[in-house]
């Protein structure tokens, strides 16, 4: 099959010519690359879809656990053909060290719409995207969802695997321009969705959602060939419903598996880790240990170099806002609701009510003040020791009440606590999920110190 468009970039044509010679291999520079960070590609939704955006979003991380959205969590590129939106993007590093981005052709949640195509872009380092095209994957009237890419060394081709008709299909390509005819890749009796594939040495691993029980399983193959996979793990689930397994190698040599939970609320990630992908020993991570990008859905993660990390930050910029995550209730973030500051379970709408501009202190620039993103000009201030959102009246009393000193976390020095400027023996803490300032110190109880400890996240 061929593309619906025939206007390709010189880079795409050059890649095709190289592939035709059979000379595709890992260059020495790519083999020697030292990966020190990660990039996350995703689209966004929120429980009532106030945060829905079906363009390509990127976030970066040094540890692969706590993520910084780029471009103010706005898309870096959006499809201009087909259904004019994407879901389920995968960013994949090709053998020449550059990237291809591939995604479902669907905007929104009308899952009855079928597309035979996938969106595709080329990118040298994810600071720009070229050669946009839609590639036709099949001729049947089925959906073409959740693509994943892997290198099949025995074929000398990339496999593009995607969900269709409750099975996984595959097309092969050397250039992501021309693809082979679709064929069945994995079709157990249970019905499957959302495959993700990695190759580790001589073994190809496939993680997928089992439609019969809603759990995530792993399968493996010694060849990576269609219909050669055998399931080897027990099922994983967290929350009431989970999908979109995201499998990746860590820079330290271990593995992480992410799952996108959509019940009881839409878009909350859970994560597992293991040191040995070939075993069946995934350990659920504490949500305290990771913070996915805001409103992120069904994404993919790739390892990147330090230069690539710095280039992404320089090109797209980091957020001009923060979120505050509770230490002892790590599924909760500080937000305002009816003028009251509190910690509520993420995700929620209006999602912007958890976003704060942490600015120099209104009473002392050495401190900090928290301006609401959703209500500009209003700040967190204490009144009768309770934290509320109020418009800045520019009085000295308001400025003092809205200023805090940022200190090492009382319960964890790697996190943060905030001491009141005008009541310096008191710290911001939550009590029954509502924020207030109370007298606290290093000698306070462990639970009180945890109530006053937060992660400054994006």
């Amino acid at each position: 099959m061929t593309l619906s468009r025939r206007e390709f970039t010189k880079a795409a044509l050059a890649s095709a010519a190289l592939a035709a010679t059979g000379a595709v291999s890992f260059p020495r520079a790519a083999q020697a690359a030292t990966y020190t960070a990660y990039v996350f590609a995703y689209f966004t939704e929120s429980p009532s879809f106030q945060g829905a955006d079906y363009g390509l979003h990127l976030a970066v991380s040094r540890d692969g656990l706590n993520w910084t959205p780029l471009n103010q969590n706005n898309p870096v590129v959006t499809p201009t053909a087909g259904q004019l939106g994407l879901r389920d993007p995968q960013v994949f590093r090709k053998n020449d060290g550059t990237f291809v981005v591939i995604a479902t052709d669907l905007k929104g949640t009308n899952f009855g719409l079928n597309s035979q195509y996938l969106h595709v872009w080329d990118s040298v380092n994810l600071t720009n995207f070229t050669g946009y095209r839609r590639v036709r994957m099949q001729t049947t009237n089925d959906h073409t969802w959740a693509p994943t890419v892997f290198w099949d060394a025995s074929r000398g081709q990339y496999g593009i695997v995607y969900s269709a008709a409750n099975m996984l299909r595959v097309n092969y390509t050397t250039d992501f321009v021309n693809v082979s005819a679709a064929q069945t890749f994995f079709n157990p009796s249970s019905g499957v969705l959302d495959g993700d594939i990695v190759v580790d040495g001589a073994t190809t691993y496939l993680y997928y959602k089992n439609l019969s029980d809603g759990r995530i399983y792993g399968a493996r193959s010694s060849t990576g060939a269609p219909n050669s996979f055998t399931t080897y793990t027990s099922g994983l689930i967290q929350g009431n419903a989970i999908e979109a397994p995201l499998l990746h190698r860590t820079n330290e040599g271990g593995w992480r598996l992410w799952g996108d939970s959509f019940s009881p609320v839409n878009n909350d990630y859970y994560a597992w880790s293991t040191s040995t992908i070939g075993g069946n020993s995934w350990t659920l991570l504490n949500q305290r240990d990771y913070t996915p990008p805001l409103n992120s859905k069904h994404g993919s993660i790739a390892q990147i170099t330090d230069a690539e990390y710095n280039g992404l930050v320089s090109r797209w910029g980091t957020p001009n806002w923060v979120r505050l995550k509770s230490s002892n209730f790590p599924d909760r973030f500080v937000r305002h609701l009816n003028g009251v500051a509190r910690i509520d379970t993420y995700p929620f709408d209006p999602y912007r009510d958890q976003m704060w501009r942490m600015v120099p202190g209104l009473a002392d620039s050495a401190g900090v003040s928290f301006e609401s993103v959703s209500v500009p000009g209003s700040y967190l201030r204490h009144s009768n020791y309770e934290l509320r959102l109020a418009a800045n009246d520019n009085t000295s009393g308001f400025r003092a009440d809205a200023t805090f000193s940022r200190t090492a976390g009382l319960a964890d020095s790697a996190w943060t606590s905030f001491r009141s400027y005008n009541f310096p023996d008191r710290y911001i803490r939550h009590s029954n999920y509502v924020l207030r300032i109370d007298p606290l110190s290093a000698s306070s109880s462990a639970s009180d110190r945890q109530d006053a400890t937060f992660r400054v996240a994006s």
Side-chain angles (χ1 to χ4, degrees), residues 147-201:
T148 183
V149 177
F150 73 103
W151 172 249
D152 188 325
S154 64
R155 291 175 177 264
Q157 293 178 303
Y158 299 97
I160 305 173
V161 175
Y162 52 93
S163 302
N166 295 339
M167 70 178 76
L168 301 182
R169 291 180 179 155
V170 65
N171 303 64
Y172 293 96
T173 185
T174 56
D175 55 14
F176 298 92
V177 173
N178 303 284
V179 300
S180 68
Q183 58 183 294
T184 300
F185 187 75
F186 186 61
N187 187 24
S189 59
S190 61
V192 295
L193 189 69
D194 295 347
D196 198 23
I197 298 175
V198 297
V199 179
D200 184 42

Side-chain angles (χ1 to χ4, degrees), residues 8 65 73 79 107 171 198-199 240 264 330 388 403:
F8 311 128
L65 294 168
N73 211 30
K107 180 178 183 179
N171 303 64
V198 297
V199 179
N240 294 339
R388 304 189 64 84
T403 300

